[in-house]
Amino acid sequence: MKERSSVRGFIDKPVPDDVLQRIFKDAQKSPSNCNTQPWKVYVFSGEKKNELSRKLVEELQSGRPPVPDFEWSVKYQGGHRERQFASAAALYGALGVEREDKQARASAMLKNWQFFGAPHVAFFTMEKYLGIMGAVDLGIYAQSLSLLLAENGISSCMQGALGQFPAPVRAMTGMLDSEGVLFGMSFGYADSDAPANAAKTDRAELSDAVHFIV
């Protein structure tokens, strides 16, 4: 937990297949409501990953609005909004991007769909009817996976943005219409020289988040 952080710059070095197989097999041990194990994960690497990136960038630059499979219209309020702004300030500060520089910010945002140069990207999907309960289970699974990756010296970045344009993912995987993309995660070996990786966020005080009732 102390070692893991969101990494947005990777070196061009794929994770060995046997390591990937072992990590994803261990992630199957993640808990889920009634042991339903509702997650289905599509991992793109190599030229297929590059092809998907090109298609996602085309979707983004077409000017068409996002068409996510699940509700993404939450507007953060209060302390949540403050943390959202602080997170963005940390990232753009590390990149040397001024708040008024909209073009530079758009370029930085575009890197989400280029997977920050990572050699691999995972898309987390589930049957749409599962709603919030399925989303909870996918979150647990993804956290387990990110910690297993970190344990093996592999960095990652969870990306809600990767759920905004599911059509290219659906076309390249043959997903059923009943299945939806919730979010994604880029992963690989971190580039220690990438400016974005200098961005660090803080955490709320324990007393603000956890209440011990005795």
Side-chain angles (χ1 to χ4, degrees):
M1 287 292 290
K2 291 181 179 179
E3 293 298 320
R4 192 217 65 82
S5 64
S6 294
V7 165
R8 296 180 176 84
F10 298 84
I11 62 174
D12 185 18
K13 176 185 175 182
V15 179
D17 289 343
D18 61 325
V19 176
L20 286 182
Q21 291 286 332
R22 174 169 51 80
I23 290 173
F24 278 84
K25 183 176 180 179
D26 286 346
Q28 285 297 111
K29 298 175 183 177
S30 298
S32 58
N33 186 53
C34 299
N35 195 36
T36 52
Q37 305 174 56
W39 49 79
K40 185 175 287 187
V41 187
Y42 297 94
V43 181
F44 288 78
S45 306
E47 182 49 41
K48 288 296 184 182
K49 180 213 66 174
N50 296 335
E51 179 184 348
L52 177 60
S53 176
R54 290 192 293 268
K55 291 181 177 180
L56 287 170
V57 169
E58 287 174 5
E59 287 277 339
L60 178 70
Q61 295 182 334
S62 71
R64 293 187 292 270
V67 285
D69 289 323
F70 299 96
E71 178 59 50
W72 277 96
S73 63
V74 62
K75 302 294 183 182
Y76 293 119
Q77 303 175 14
H80 303 146
R81 186 169 177 80
E82 291 173 6
R83 291 172 195 149
Q84 178 190 26
F85 281 5
S87 177
L91 175 59
Y92 292 128
L95 294 173
V97 174
E98 298 294 335
R99 184 172 183 177
E100 298 77 16
D101 193 342
K102 294 183 178 180
Q103 183 175 354
R105 286 190 166 224
S107 295
M109 189 66 180
L110 179 66
K111 293 184 184 298
N112 274 280
W113 293 276
Q114 296 170 332
F115 315 131
F116 304 116
H120 311 279
V121 62
F123 286 80
F124 303 104
T125 78
M126 66 181 191
E127 290 291 319
K128 295 176 184 176
Y129 84 89
L130 289 165
I132 192 170
M133 290 307 299
V136 167
D137 290 338
L138 257 67
I140 294 171
Y141 172 87
Q143 171 77 341
S144 298
L145 180 60
S146 72
L147 293 177
L148 286 165
L149 289 167
E151 188 177 77
N152 286 270
I154 303 164
S155 298
S156 62
C157 184
M158 302 289 187
Q159 297 166 259
L162 295 185
Q164 293 184 358
F165 299 100
V169 180
R170 178 166 282 106
M172 290 185 66
T173 59
M175 287 170 51
L176 299 175
D177 289 340
S178 60
E179 190 178 342
V181 176
L182 188 59
F183 63 105
M185 181 186 73
S186 299
F187 66 96
Y189 298 105
D191 180 355
S192 59
D193 295 327
N197 291 339
K200 302 299 179 184
T201 55
D202 60 10
R203 292 296 182 269
E205 293 295 330
L206 180 63
S207 58
D208 292 335
V210 182
H211 303 275
F212 297 96
I213 302 170
V214 295

